[in-house]
Amino acid sequence: MFPSRAVLAALLACALGVAAAPAASAAPKHSPVPVVYDGDSDFADIATLAYLCQAHKQRRIDLRAVTVTNNGAGMPGRALTHVRTALEKCGLSGIPVADGSDTGVNPMPADGRAWTESILNGALGDAGEPAKPSKIRASALLAATVLKSSKPVVVIATGPLTNVAKALDVPGVAQRISRLSVMGGAFDVPGNLFGPGAEKFDGTQEVNMWLDPASADKVFAGIPRGRVDIIPLDATNDAPITPSYVERLGREGRTAEAKLVHAIVTQPDLTPYIQDGSAFWWDTLASSAVFDAVSPVKLRPAKVDVRQDGAAAGRTYVTPKGTPQNVGYDTDPVAYENGFLKMLNG
């Protein structure tokens, strides 16, 4: 049973403390878009958070909260610590954060979590930072933040959709989400499932959807029609992290956010994957598609469903019986790279 709206408001006040999230000092020329970011704290999530922090400073958005799934690439506890460290490095440590998601259907491979942890420990320098549990669960913070906002909220979700699905149990939350941008799924390209047990599946699954297909199905059905943008591997495969762009980030990056992203993509455990072309701007693309002046991703409407069991469990596919969504199929990599760096540099 989920708390009532009154209880959620009290929990949010507790999580926020006396002061709300810090705002940029310059007077806004327009009212910034309220945003909640939900992810699983892999390396691409923290790069996405850096992008959103700079967008917040520019008053393009109002980053109201960051929620973390514990059933994805990040290690429980450490995932939230990395988010806090990144926000501090970006000068936005007052933004409310929370973790604590339910367990998904399939477990994240342990070697994937260890790889993520190594990269972020190196980039953020917080390996010795003790875990500090959040005051409320991630889904409760997400729901309370959405309901408290006077304007409809944009949600960016770049991990398994467990927290978002749980937040939708609160009456009114789905209707107050103006747009949900999801990194997940694979339609006309192979999936990216890996690790022990992957041989039990047919290889059509993207990891985020595979980790919790039930929550993905619930979210796609629960958000009002036309408000969900799915950024699948079909789109992210067009945006690899290239050595030349890593060099450009180091050469042209001026802000704390740009330098943080550069620190991430120059970690030794990530470099071989960049060099062989198997690392992509997965999660950052889900934000760029929403907030770049010119979206680098082309979207088209499609009716989408998610397989729930069998060898294809977690697969996203188009079917007349699916729910209407917007699906990204094409990305302009040059437009993405230019827009991402432009936002990072303010």
Side-chain angles (χ1 to χ4, degrees), residues 238-256:
D238 294 335
I241 305 174
T242 64
S244 61
Y245 191 63
V246 171
E247 181 183 350
R248 182 182 173 192
L249 279 170
R251 185 176 65 252
E252 299 180 19
R254 298 188 301 269
T255 64

Side-chain angles (χ1 to χ4, degrees), residues 16 188 312:
L16 288 170
D188 298 327

Side-chain angles (χ1 to χ4, degrees), residues 26-334:
K29 296 181 180 179
H30 57 83
S31 179
V33 178
V35 173
V36 174
Y37 178 45
D38 180 76
D40 61 351
S41 278
D42 69 10
F43 80 85
D45 288 82
I46 300 302
T48 304
L49 182 56
Y51 170 100
L52 293 172
C53 283
Q54 184 54 231
H56 176 89
K57 290 179 178 179
Q58 294 177 38
R59 300 306 303 268
R60 292 284 304 278
I61 69 171
D62 181 3
L63 184 58
R64 299 285 182 88
V66 180
T67 54
V68 179
T69 62
N70 279 336
N71 57 335
M75 291 184 178
R78 294 295 300 158
L80 184 61
T81 296
H82 293 320
V83 164
R84 287 191 173 115
T85 301
L87 287 171
E88 183 177 359
K89 286 182 177 292
C90 296
L92 296 175
S93 58
I95 289 176
V97 299
D99 66 350
S101 57
D102 297 331
T103 302
V105 174
N106 296 300
M108 183 70 184
D111 56 349
R113 282 183 162 176
W115 181 71
T116 293
E117 185 67 6
S118 175
I119 292 170
L120 294 182
N121 282 342
L124 297 170
D126 60 355
E129 190 69 24
K132 181 182 176 184
S134 57
K135 294 180 179 179
I136 63 174
R137 288 174 65 83
S139 55
L141 176 60
L142 197 162
T145 303
V146 168
L147 292 177
K148 188 176 185 292
S149 176
S150 61
K151 296 170 58 178
V153 175
V154 172
V155 176
I156 308 295
T158 58
L161 291 172
T162 315
N163 286 336
V164 180
K166 187 68 173 176
L168 295 186
D169 289 340
V170 181
V173 168
Q175 291 71 31
R176 297 294 296 165
I177 294 175
S178 61
R179 188 171 185 180
L180 172 65
S181 184
V182 173
M183 191 281 122
F187 291 85
D188 298 327
V189 299
N192 61 352
L193 202 57
F194 67 96
E199 69 280 357
K200 299 177 183 178
F201 299 90
D202 64 8
T204 61
Q205 302 88 343
E206 181 275 329
V207 172
N208 285 341
M209 297 293 102
W210 173 81
L211 287 169
D212 194 352
S215 287
D217 191 56
K218 179 179 176 180
V219 168
F220 293 159
I223 300 292
R225 180 173 181 167
R227 299 187 190 181
V228 177
D229 296 345
I230 302 173
I231 309 300
L233 298 182
D234 307 65
T236 62
N237 284 354
D238 294 335
I241 305 174
T242 64
S244 61
Y245 191 63
V246 171
E247 181 183 350
R248 182 182 173 192
L249 279 170
R251 185 176 65 252
E252 299 180 19
R254 298 188 301 269
T255 64
E257 291 79 13
K259 291 175 180 179
L260 174 55
V261 174
H262 185 254
I264 292 170
V265 296
T266 52
Q267 288 301 303
D269 281 349
L270 182 56
T271 297
Y273 297 91
I274 294 174
Q275 291 176 339
D276 71 14
S278 60
F280 299 87
W281 294 109
W282 291 289
D283 301 335
T284 54
L285 197 60
S287 287
S288 295
V290 179
F291 298 119
D292 278 6
V294 178
S295 174
V297 182
K298 293 181 181 179
L299 296 166
R300 65 188 187 208
K303 291 187 175 181
V304 176
D305 205 351
V306 184
R307 297 281 186 196
Q308 295 300 305
D309 49 35
R315 178 188 177 187
T316 50
Y317 63 104
V318 175
T319 170
K321 296 181 180 180
T323 55
Q325 316 298 344
N326 305 308
V327 177
Y329 281 93
D330 297 295
T331 299
D332 181 337
V334 174

